Amino acid sequence: MAILSGLAVYFVIWWLTLFAVLPIGLRTQDEDENVVPGTVASAPTRFRAARIFLTTTVVSGLIYGAWYVAGTYFGIGFKDLPIIMPGVEP
């Protein structure tokens, strides 16, 4: 795989993982009973961007590594996924 394609796949995995990691460990202002005037109660009390980005990078690196190993060493690719659309033959 070309380097640019690998980076594109990693970016897509990273972006999807970001939205899965965002709510982990989140404390809202309503839960802490400290709602700042002018904000919604569901706003985070402390947004820890560095922790979220680091966790996202590590988790997406593990997912990308598993995908790379499955494709390189075991020959598993998109053609091996089952076709779930009716009327489509492989």
Side-chain angles (χ1 to χ4, degrees):
M1 170 186 311
I3 294 199
L4 192 56
S5 298
L7 288 174
V9 169
Y10 179 77
F11 176 74
V12 169
I13 292 171
W14 189 91
W15 191 255
L16 292 172
T17 306
L18 173 66
F19 290 106
V21 168
L22 272 174
I24 296 174
L26 178 73
R27 298 278 305 165
T28 64
Q29 292 179 12
D30 188 37
E31 291 173 340
D32 289 341
E33 298 176 358
N34 186 17
V35 180
V36 177
T39 63
V40 294
S42 61
T45 303
R46 289 181 307 227
F47 180 67
R48 299 177 182 167
R51 181 186 62 86
I52 289 172
F53 292 153
L54 179 64
T55 304
T56 301
T57 302
V58 169
V59 171
S60 60
L62 292 172
I63 294 170
Y64 181 80
W67 175 76
Y68 181 79
V69 167
T72 303
Y73 296 108
F74 299 113
I76 299 171
F78 289 113
K79 292 182 181 179
D80 297 321
L81 295 174
I83 297 174
I84 57 173
M85 294 179 59
V88 178
E89 295 295 323

